[in-house]
Structures are given as structure tokens and as C-alpha cells.
Amino acid sequence: MLIYVIVAGCWIAFTDRFLEWLVEDPNLLTDLQTVKGIFYVLATGGGLYYLIRKSQTRLTAKQAELNTTVQDLQSEKELKDILFDRIPVLISIYDPDLKEFEVNKEFEKVLGWSNEEIEQKDIDLLEECYPDFETREEVVNFMNSPGVGWKEFPMTKKSGERMHTSWTNVKLTDDTSVGIGIDMTEIKATEAKIRESRNLLERTFESLKSSLILVDPQTRTIVDCNESTEEIFGYSKDELIGQSTRKLHVNDEKFELFNQIGAASLAEKGVFQTEFQMQTKDGTILDTDHTVSYVFDEDGDVDKVVSVVRDITARKEYERQLKKRQERLLRSQQIGQLGDWEFDPHTGTIHWSEMMYKIFERDPQLGPPSYEQISSLYYGADTEKHNRAVEQALEENKPYDIDLQLITDKKNKKYIRAIGIPIQNDAGDLEKLLGVIQDITDRKETEIALQKSEQRLQAITDNVPGVVFQYELKPDGREALHYVSEGAQDIWGLSAQEIKKNASLIWEHFPEEELEKVKRSIERSAQNLSSWNTEWEYQHPKGKTVWHHGIGIPHKQKDDSIIWDSIIIDITEQKRLQEQVLKSAIEGEDRERKRIARELHDGLGQYLVAANMNFESIKQEIQELPEKRQSQFQTGLSLLKNALSETRSIAYNLMPKAIEDYGLITALENLIQDYEKSTDIEFSFIHNCEELDLQKQAAINIYRIVQEIVSNAVQHAECSTIILQLQLTDDKLTLIAKDDGIGMDLKDQRDRSGLGIKSIEHRASNLKGRLNFTSRTGKGVRVSLAIPNIQRLYSKTES
């Protein structure tokens, strides 16, 4: 518009001046000015028309552009609505000027806060979602640092539940911060499951008892293997990974053969299985079972080869042994005359093996007989027995195992064992009968003969003067009697049936000391498998005390139990006679001692006394003899006195008068005093009975036992101390003698076979005492004698 005004003003001023200069005629000037005015109007109108058209064209273009912009804005709004409200991610928009948050529908859905609630209640979304101050500070720093990627933050829902999220942040040009988040709950759960599955796979991989080997299909090198591979082949994992599988094969030939065997099957099926021999690190050859399969990648190409190897060496060895056993079984069947058969009850068809014809002595050309013919071949009631067993097998599916007597086609009598087993199909219906027949004629005849022999043996054992029995001792200490003859009633006062039911009934009648002695003898026999041979006292149920003598031969069984074939006899009368003989022998010995002592005292002793008196009478007269003769006289006189003293000592030891004059205790004290004077040994005699008025023979026996014990210790023990104890308690007299000498080996019979020990044992037996020797080499000897019921030996009983 300004240009138009300027151009119009210049036009009017210039044209007017020009026309006034050019034309002087006023009329013409007026006409020209009129024409100039018309021209100006036309030119101005044309210009205005052009400007108006141009402006309309520009306005139309602007309107079109405006319409396009409005459409674009509408599309952008719709896209924003779709992205902001429909996309399944968390979106938050933070306006730093208004300090407000706007969230999308997914945010509202997942965390529970809506935009309206946030605005109306003026909720600090940061504080609510991130109640932990440090976490909240970290979130704010993340919002102020856009473009750093994704970061995980724990968020708290409106409900208070915590959830895992991952966020990225974008800042717009107006400083608006746009956060895009992902709910990581399912992802975390999936990751946990993946980790668990991976761990499970790794544990499974390592825990497999079979060797698991991953192989590169191109290079045939080992990529990985489990622990079982190390255990089976002896190589460490480091020694195998990267190595060719040839390392596990016996040789190159076997290696190539294995690959050739599997190539076709792998190419066709992607898997193959075979048994093959492999080699361990130490050169051991293993029988193995292989399952080899391909592992394909996503494109369907072979990625790995998996080889599962099981060590079947033990199974192969078992199969070889089984084959040998089967071969032995076949030979055994031939030797044992076993035949097998098959019967189809639906068709009545019977099949026989070759051995069946031999057992039944039937011509194989005739074929097997019919069921009715077979039934007629059995002897007497065995026909019904056979038919009943077969019917039960057919009707009740019940197997049978019976012995039958058979009449063969050649009219020979045989005993057979018949076994039948019903076979059912999958539906449970009877399909057929299978069985075997064994010729047991020899065994049956042997059993019959054995039965007759046992009957004869029973008759013999029942008439043996004693009891014959089998005693079994189990490893756990349990005991049993298997066979007991009728003599049990006489020996134990119990019937054979009672004892078989309860073997402990016998032990109830043993005195405690005798029970221990018998038990120890059984233990020794069991340990050494030596013969059992011992004697003991037994309290018979009838009230009498008897003596038994047991003998047994032990046999060790497969289960380590021991069975004794034994016999026990009553030796009461024999013991009584032995005691009488022993008593007579001891009394005879003592009488002989007394006689010899009297003769030494009254005979030789008197002569020596007379000689000594004669020599003493001339002792003063020998002064006139030469000095040598005087010395000889003095020596002779000294020897004479020694002989007289020795004679008196021998006579006293043979029969000490102190027993008769002063009693046993004084006699023992005198004995000890004599040994103290003649030896360097320290003696100690302890007793609690000043007066012990025993029968003469009992006192002599105890004195002789002590004398023999002390004499043995002085002569052989090399001891420095001997302790004697004589204790009277209740109705028992106990003698104990101990020394600290070199001891003796009680297992060595030479140490126990001397006359002295036998004399001690005989006298102890005569006293009905229990004698016990205890010793170890270098630990001295301890002898104990316990005499029960001592009142029976008091002198008043004798009177």
C-alpha cells in the first residue's frame, strides 16, 4: 500500500509538470490531463486486479497448507493417543515448568495411580513410586541425564507391592522429560526360570552316571564332557576338550570302524546306537553302549554331536557268565535227565522234547501221547494226583510241582518230578501250559534207603546209654537242638520234644560255676573247630546231683553257624569210683609217707643219733691224733649232724606232727618259717581262721597243696615274694597263693604235666574244690582253690 501511494504521488506530480512544460494550450492540456487520468485509473485498476488475484492465489495456497497442517496435527494426535494410551509400556511425561507428571493407561493399570488421582490429590509420584530416598535420588539423576540407555529400578505400586522395572529417558526441546518403562516382573521370572533350567541342565549334565560327550561334527574333536566321562575313561576334562575322539578308541582301525558304523544311521535318522569297545587312560578295555545323535541349530544345520556312553563291562561280563551258566544248565539238564513239554488246552496239542521220550521210554516216531494216554501212565493214586494238579492249573491258573510214580512204555517203574506253569495272554486268559519232567528214580530210591537207614539209626541212638543230639550255635549267639534222642529223659530229666522247643531249659539245671565252664568249652571248640570234650555237674530235676561227660564234633555251616554232632553220657558212678580210687590213693600215699617218716625217725634217725653220741664221747680224745686226722674227724662229725638234721626234716615234711598236735594253721605257719630260714624269699601268710578243726585227711590235703605250691615257687619261680591267703567266708574256704616270679605258659602242657601239679589237682578233687591256675610269662603265678560246703570237712562230722 505504501508503494502504491508513493508511485501514485510521483506519477501525478511528474506527469502534471511534464504536460505543463510540453503543452501550453490550456484546452489541450485539460484534454491530455483527462486522458492521463483515464489511463491512470485503467492502469491502477489493472494493477489492483493483478494484486487481488495474486493475493487470492496465495490465500488459497495458505488455506490448503493450513488444512494439511490441521490434518497432520490430527494424525499426530491420534498417533500420540495410540502410543501414549494403548502401547503396553509404562510412559510418564514430566513438565519441569509445571512440575507435573502425566502417565499413560498402562502406567495407571500396572501401578494403580490415574492422572486424575495424581492431579486431584496432588500426589508426589516420585515419592510414592520410589519411597527409598537413595533410589529416588538415583531416579532424578537418571531423568536429568537423557540418552544413557536402559536402567532397572525397583518401584512400589499403589497397593504397596514391589515390582521390577527398566526405564529409558528422553528429553524434549522444551525440557519435557519422557520416561519409557517396562514391567520386568515376568521377564525376571522368566530369567529365573531360564537360570534354574540352565542350572538343572548343568547339574543333570554333570550328575549323569553315563559319559556325555559333545563333539564338533566337522573336526570330530571333543567340545565338552561331564564328570562321568572323567570317571569312566580316567582322563581329566582338560585332557579331553579339544582332542579327537580317537583318544578314547582302542586303535585307528576301531576308530574308523566306529565312524563307518554310525555314518549311515546318523545320515538317515540323526541318531544311532551300538555297543563298542573303548579304551581308558590306563589302557583298560571297556565294553560300552553308545547312543550318538545330532543337535541341530535354528537353521536346521548340524551344530553338535552328542554321544552318551555307558560302561557295560560288568553287564557284558555277567552276560558271558550267564551264557556259561546256560551252557552248564543245558549240560546239567542232560545229566539230570530233564525234559520239557508244552500243552495247548484249546487244541489238545502236546509238544515233547527229546529227553521226554527217553524218560517215558517211548519211541519218538510215535510222537507224544495224548493227554488221556499220559494220565493212564501214572501208577495207582498218582493218576488222580496228576489230573487234579493239571485241572487246577487250567481252571485256577495255579502252578504245580509234584512227585509221581510212572509206568513207562517198557513197563518199567520210575519216579518223576512234574512241574507245570500256566501261561496267560495279555487279556489274562489261559494260553498254554509249560512244564518240565525230571527223572528222580535214583534220588527217590536213595531217599527210601536213607529213610530206612535213619529209622535204624534212630533205633540205635534211642538205645545208646546217653543222649545223642545235634547242637547248633548261630553267629548271633542263638542256639537250637535239631535232633535229640529219647535218652534225653534219662540224662536231662526232660523230654526230647520239650528240649527241641526250648533248648534253654537244659541250662537252668546247671550250677553257675559249671555253666560257665561248659560255655567256655563250647566257645573254645567253636573258635578252633576242635572237638568238644568236657565233664560237669548237673542238677537233675529229680533233685539229685549227677556228673555228665559230653563229646561233640563241630561242623561249620555256610552261614557261619556251627553244629556239633554230640553225645552226653552219665558218668556219676564212674566219678564216684574215681573219687574212691583217688581218695584211697591219697590216703595210701599219706600212710606210706607216715610209715617212711616213722621209719626214718625210729630207725635211721636213732642210728644217726647213737653214732653222733659215740663220736661226741671221743671228741676229747682225738686231740692226740695228727692234725689231718683231727680235721677228717671234725668233717665226718659235721656231715653226721647234717645227715641227722636232714633226716629229721624229711621225716617232718613227709608227715608233720604239727597238724595232729596243733592243727592246720600252726602247721602252715611252721612250714613258712622253715622256708624263710632256708631261703631269701619274703613270705606273707594272711588268714582269718585261728582254729580250723578239719578232718585229718582234709587238713593233710590242704597242707600238701600249700607245700607243693610253695616248693614249686621256691625251686622254679625265681621269685622274691610269696603271698598265701586262707579265708573262711560263710560256708566256703578259699586258698590263694601268689608269687612275683617268671610265671609259666599254661597252654604249654609240659608246664602242667609235672607230678607236683597232678598231686595238687588230685588233692583238690578229693576236697571237691575248684582249682584255678592263672599266669602269664613274667607276671608270676596265681593259684586259687575254692572249697564249697566246708562244714562237711569239719572233724565233728567225722566223729
Side-chain angles (χ1 to χ4, degrees):
M1 180 64 69
L2 180 61
I3 295 173
Y4 176 76
V5 172
I6 293 173
V7 170
C10 291
W11 169 265
I12 294 172
F14 178 75
T15 55
D16 286 345
R17 292 283 184 177
F18 180 72
L19 287 176
E20 288 177 358
W21 175 75
L22 182 64
V23 179
E24 294 181 355
D25 184 7
N27 291 325
L28 181 59
L29 179 63
T30 301
D31 290 337
L32 288 173
Q33 286 180 341
T34 301
V35 172
K36 181 190 72 165
I38 293 171
F39 176 76
Y40 178 76
V41 170
L42 290 175
T44 303
L48 290 173
Y49 177 77
Y50 171 75
L51 291 174
I52 290 170
R53 291 291 296 174
K54 187 175 181 181
S55 177
Q56 286 179 345
T57 300
R58 186 178 295 175
L59 287 175
T60 301
K62 287 290 185 181
Q63 184 65 42
E65 184 178 353
L66 180 61
N67 291 337
T68 301
T69 301
V70 169
Q71 290 177 356
D72 290 341
L73 289 175
Q74 185 67 31
S75 298
E76 288 179 2
K77 184 177 183 303
E78 292 177 357
L79 179 62
K80 172 182 174 295
D81 291 341
I82 291 174
L83 292 176
F84 193 70
D85 293 331
R86 299 181 186 179
I87 190 170
V89 296
L90 308 177
I91 299 177
S92 65
I93 300 175
Y94 177 69
D95 188 338
D97 297 328
L98 300 176
K99 296 184 179 180
E100 292 180 348
F101 275 99
E102 182 181 0
V103 297
N104 68 341
K105 295 295 183 182
E106 184 69 15
F107 191 101
E108 294 178 352
K109 174 183 174 183
V110 174
L111 282 103
W113 285 288
S114 65
N115 285 312
E116 292 77 8
E117 187 177 9
I118 294 170
E119 183 177 356
Q120 292 174 3
K121 296 183 179 181
D122 193 21
I123 293 174
D124 187 342
L125 195 60
L126 275 176
E127 185 175 350
E128 294 294 335
C129 291
Y130 306 100
D132 180 68
F133 178 76
E134 293 182 358
T135 303
R136 191 161 62 249
E137 286 292 323
E138 190 176 353
V139 171
V140 171
N141 292 334
F142 181 73
M143 292 172 61
N144 294 328
S145 305
V148 296
W150 292 84
K151 190 170 183 180
E152 294 184 9
F153 293 101
M155 297 186 70
T156 302
K157 298 181 180 181
K158 182 180 179 181
S159 63
E161 180 184 356
R162 289 175 65 84
M163 61 179 288
H164 292 280
T165 60
S166 180
W167 290 87
T168 188
N169 188 43
V170 179
K171 183 168 284 192
L172 304 181
T173 55
D174 60 353
D175 287 338
T176 299
S177 179
V178 179
I180 301 173
I182 300 173
D183 183 356
M184 298 291 289
T185 304
E186 293 184 1
I187 296 175
K188 287 289 184 180
T190 303
E191 288 178 351
K193 289 181 179 179
I194 292 173
R195 286 194 300 272
E196 183 178 353
S197 299
R198 184 180 293 111
N199 292 335
L200 177 61
L201 181 61
E202 290 177 356
R203 291 196 302 270
T204 303
F205 181 77
E206 294 298 341
S207 63
L208 281 175
K209 297 302 181 183
S210 301
S211 166
L212 191 62
I213 304 173
L214 297 180
V215 181
D216 187 302
Q218 304 299 325
T219 62
R220 284 156 52 179
T221 57
I222 298 172
V223 177
D224 198 1
C225 62
N226 63 352
E227 291 182 0
S228 293
T229 305
E230 298 178 289
E231 295 174 1
I232 292 175
F233 291 99
Y235 292 101
S236 67
K237 186 178 291 189
D238 293 337
E239 290 176 309
L240 290 175
I241 293 177
Q243 299 294 318
S244 169
T245 53
R246 162 65 184 86
K247 195 179 187 72
L248 304 179
H249 283 272
V250 176
N251 51 42
D252 293 337
E253 183 180 353
K254 294 287 187 180
F255 174 59
E256 294 300 331
L257 177 61
F258 181 82
N259 291 320
Q260 293 172 10
I261 293 173
S265 181
L266 281 172
E268 180 181 355
K269 303 176 182 178
V271 63
F272 92 97
Q273 186 173 9
T274 187
E275 294 180 359
F276 211 76
Q277 286 191 327
M278 306 290 282
Q279 187 173 21
T280 66
K281 183 177 181 179
D282 62 6
T284 303
I285 304 300
L286 300 178
D287 289 304
T288 59
D289 176 80
H290 286 260
T291 301
V292 183
S293 58
Y294 281 146
V295 178
F296 298 94
D297 59 18
E298 296 177 354
D299 299 328
D301 297 326
V302 177
D303 182 41
K304 296 287 187 299
V305 176
V306 178
S307 181
V308 180
V309 184
R310 290 189 302 116
D311 183 359
I312 59 171
T313 305
R315 192 193 80 189
K316 279 294 185 180
E317 179 61 25
Y318 176 77
E319 289 175 353
R320 286 191 285 269
Q321 295 298 326
L322 180 61
K323 184 177 179 181
K324 291 180 180 179
R325 286 197 293 268
Q326 289 173 338
E327 293 172 351
R328 289 196 297 270
L329 177 61
L330 181 59
R331 291 194 298 270
S332 299
Q333 287 178 341
Q334 294 172 349
I335 296 171
Q337 300 185 42
L338 279 170
D340 64 273
W341 54 267
E342 182 178 325
F343 172 52
D344 187 340
H346 306 293
T347 63
T349 306
I350 296 177
H351 296 284
W352 270 16
S353 67
E354 181 180 351
M355 186 59 67
M356 290 289 291
Y357 292 98
K358 293 181 179 180
I359 294 173
F360 281 78
E361 295 181 340
R362 182 178 177 86
D363 185 358
Q365 298 297 328
L366 298 176
S370 65
Y371 176 74
E372 290 75 14
Q373 290 174 320
I374 292 175
S375 299
S376 65
L377 296 176
Y378 296 107
Y379 185 80
D382 282 358
T383 298
E384 178 61 25
K385 183 179 180 181
H386 169 266
N387 293 341
R388 186 169 57 253
V390 173
E391 288 172 3
Q392 288 179 341
L394 295 175
E395 296 173 3
E396 304 174 15
N397 290 321
K398 184 178 179 181
Y400 62 86
D401 185 348
I402 55 177
D403 291 349
L404 301 169
Q405 198 170 6
L406 170 72
I407 302 298
T408 69
D409 284 9
K410 295 182 178 180
K411 305 306 178 184
N412 293 319
K413 186 185 292 186
K414 288 187 176 183
Y415 291 96
I416 63 169
R417 180 186 180 189
I419 300 174
I421 302 174
I423 303 300
Q424 298 173 308
N425 57 25
D426 295 338
D429 299 325
L430 180 68
E431 185 175 312
K432 57 187 175 181
L433 276 181
L434 298 179
V436 295
I437 297 291
Q438 182 183 18
D439 186 348
I440 59 171
T441 304
D442 293 340
R443 191 192 78 188
K444 274 291 183 181
E445 291 176 349
T446 302
E447 287 178 355
I448 293 171
L450 180 61
Q451 186 177 8
K452 293 179 179 179
S453 176
E454 287 179 349
Q455 291 172 351
R456 290 195 296 271
L457 178 61
Q458 182 71 42
I460 294 171
T461 56
D462 287 344
N463 290 282
V464 168
V467 59
V468 178
F469 63 98
Q470 278 189 324
Y471 171 74
E472 180 180 15
L473 183 63
K474 298 284 188 182
D476 59 4
R478 291 182 295 117
E479 57 186 5
L481 293 176
H482 295 300
Y483 171 81
V484 181
S485 70
E486 295 301 323
Q489 190 70 51
D490 294 332
I491 295 296
W492 291 315
L494 302 166
S495 67
Q497 290 73 22
E498 289 177 311
I499 296 170
K500 284 182 181 179
K501 290 181 181 178
N502 187 3
S504 64
L505 291 175
I506 301 172
W507 303 120
E508 295 175 1
H509 297 280
F510 276 76
E512 183 178 352
E513 296 174 354
E514 298 297 303
L515 178 61
E516 292 179 3
K517 179 174 71 174
V518 174
K519 289 283 190 181
R520 286 196 301 270
S521 67
I522 293 174
E523 290 175 2
R524 286 194 299 270
S525 177
Q527 290 174 357
N528 306 323
L529 289 181
S530 57
S531 297
W532 173 63
N533 190 338
T534 191
E535 297 176 355
W536 64 89
E537 279 186 313
Y538 181 77
Q539 297 296 329
H540 201 279
K542 291 182 177 180
K544 59 183 180 179
T545 299
V546 295
W547 276 88
H548 289 164
H549 182 196
I551 301 173
I553 305 299
H555 305 282
K556 193 164 187 177
Q557 308 301 303
K558 291 182 179 179
D559 63 351
D560 288 336
S561 61
I562 299 176
I563 294 178
W564 284 265
D565 296 326
S566 308
I567 182 172
I568 294 176
I569 59 176
D570 188 333
I571 59 169
T572 305
E573 183 62 22
Q574 179 183 344
K575 274 288 184 181
R576 186 184 66 80
L577 294 175
Q578 285 178 352
E579 288 179 3
Q580 288 182 351
V581 171
L582 182 60
K583 182 178 181 181
S584 298
I586 291 175
E587 290 177 351
E589 179 185 342
D590 289 338
R591 283 195 298 271
E592 185 65 15
R593 283 173 173 265
K594 188 173 182 180
R595 184 189 65 79
I596 295 173
R598 186 168 54 250
E599 290 184 357
L600 285 174
H601 182 271
D602 297 342
L604 179 61
Q606 296 304 320
Y607 287 124
L608 291 174
V609 169
N612 182 61
M613 292 176 62
N614 288 324
F615 274 105
E616 286 290 343
S617 66
I618 64 171
K619 187 175 181 181
Q620 298 300 326
E621 300 177 2
I622 66 169
Q623 301 296 331
E624 300 175 359
L625 296 175
E627 185 176 347
K628 181 177 181 181
R629 293 299 182 184
Q630 290 183 27
S631 176
Q632 289 176 343
F633 177 84
Q634 292 294 339
T635 301
L637 182 60
S638 176
L639 291 174
L640 178 61
K641 289 182 178 181
N642 289 341
L644 178 59
S645 175
E646 187 68 22
T647 300
R648 289 173 177 171
S649 177
I650 292 173
Y652 180 82
N653 288 335
L654 285 172
M655 186 53 64
K657 286 181 62 61
I659 294 178
E660 295 182 8
D661 296 341
Y662 306 109
L664 177 62
I665 300 300
T666 301
L668 291 175
E669 289 176 342
N670 291 340
L671 175 67
I672 293 171
Q673 288 175 4
D674 290 342
Y675 275 111
E676 285 180 332
K677 292 176 181 178
S678 60
T679 68
D680 295 329
I681 298 174
E682 181 181 348
F683 285 85
S684 176
F685 179 37
I686 304 169
H687 61 86
N688 66 347
C689 41
E690 293 297 335
E691 295 184 4
L692 192 59
D693 190 10
L694 300 177
Q695 298 172 17
K696 180 179 178 182
Q697 188 59 51
I700 291 174
N701 284 338
I702 295 174
Y703 180 86
R704 294 299 182 198
I705 290 173
V706 174
Q707 186 181 40
E708 192 63 49
I709 292 172
V710 173
S711 175
N712 284 338
V714 170
Q715 295 179 43
H716 308 295
E718 300 179 16
C719 60
S720 60
T721 303
I722 297 177
I723 300 174
L724 294 173
Q725 296 179 7
L726 190 64
Q727 301 292 328
L728 180 63
T729 57
D730 297 332
D731 193 28
K732 182 171 72 172
L733 183 65
T734 303
L735 170 66
I736 299 175
K738 297 186 292 184
D739 68 62
D740 60 354
I742 60 175
M744 64 179 181
D745 186 0
L746 296 176
K747 295 180 180 179
D748 190 345
Q749 293 301 317
R750 293 174 299 179
D751 285 353
R752 304 198 57 165
S753 60
L755 293 175
I757 291 182
K758 287 189 176 296
S759 175
I760 293 173
E761 291 175 343
H762 289 164
R763 292 184 183 275
S765 177
N766 185 259
L767 293 168
K768 297 186 182 300
R770 190 175 79 253
L771 183 67
N772 185 42
F773 286 87
T774 305
S775 178
R776 284 191 300 168
T777 303
K779 298 296 183 179
V781 177
R782 182 182 186 275
V783 183
S784 65
L785 173 64
I787 306 173
N789 193 18
I790 192 63
Q791 291 181 358
R792 59 187 166 80
L793 299 178
Y794 286 168
S795 61
K796 62 182 179 181
T797 304
E798 181 176 331
S799 62

